[in-house]
Amino acid sequence: TAVAALPAGMLGDRFGKKPVLSAGLVLFSAVTLVGSQTQTVEQGMVVMALVGTSNAVITSLAFPLLTDLMPADRKGEFTGLGSLVWSLAQPIGATLAGLTVDLTGSFRTVFLVSGIMIAIAVVSLQAVHPPARSPGRQPPRP
């Protein structure tokens, strides 16, 4: 994730946050679904590298896209609310993932559900229409 974060941000600047974020979500979803069926450590390492790369795209572009969508006079409020939701989602998600592993006896279910939920996020993101350019921002240089 750390290695791919800067290139992901640069791609977002060049091609737009939403299209690059959508591609990262599609990659994350596909790799998670396929990766749920890995059989060897080597396969798992390839999957984790691809998940890390797609996570870099998501991490690098999700909040910048959100700030483009927020009214300028309420960015602090919405950022705080988003941080609250993010902070609650992580322990709740981890607890539910652990419970799912306990109930099914496998991590595969967690990865399958994760891949499906990310696919739903990709579809939902397509309904979002950010402004063509943030106020005061110059278009990217060729």
Side-chain angles (χ1 to χ4, degrees):
T1 298
V3 171
L6 182 61
M10 292 168 64
L11 287 171
D13 284 344
R14 181 157 181 89
F15 298 107
K17 294 176 196 96
K18 181 181 169 185
V20 177
L21 177 59
S22 294
L25 288 166
V26 167
L27 177 64
F28 191 97
S29 179
V31 169
T32 304
L33 290 169
V34 171
S36 70
Q37 305 306 308
T38 59
Q39 301 294 319
T40 67
V41 172
E42 292 79 13
Q43 291 171 346
M45 290 173 63
V46 171
V47 167
M48 291 308 294
L50 291 172
V51 165
T53 300
S54 60
N55 186 54
V57 174
I58 296 164
T59 303
S60 299
L61 297 176
F63 280 112
L65 178 62
L66 285 174
T67 60
D68 287 349
L69 298 170
M70 295 177 205
D73 61 336
R74 299 186 69 194
K75 285 188 181 191
E77 175 186 350
F78 283 119
T79 300
L81 183 60
S83 295
L84 169 76
V85 171
W86 189 259
S87 296
L88 290 173
Q90 289 181 355
I92 291 170
T95 301
L96 291 175
L99 179 61
T100 303
V101 171
D102 287 346
L103 291 174
T104 63
S106 172
F107 283 92
R108 292 182 194 274
T109 307
V110 174
F111 288 107
L112 288 170
V113 170
S114 174
I116 292 166
M117 296 307 288
I118 294 294
I120 291 170
V122 173
V123 172
S124 300
L125 180 61
Q126 301 320 300
V128 174
H129 302 289
R133 230 184 294 172
S134 296
R137 180 162 179 220
Q138 297 299 319
R141 294 181 196 164

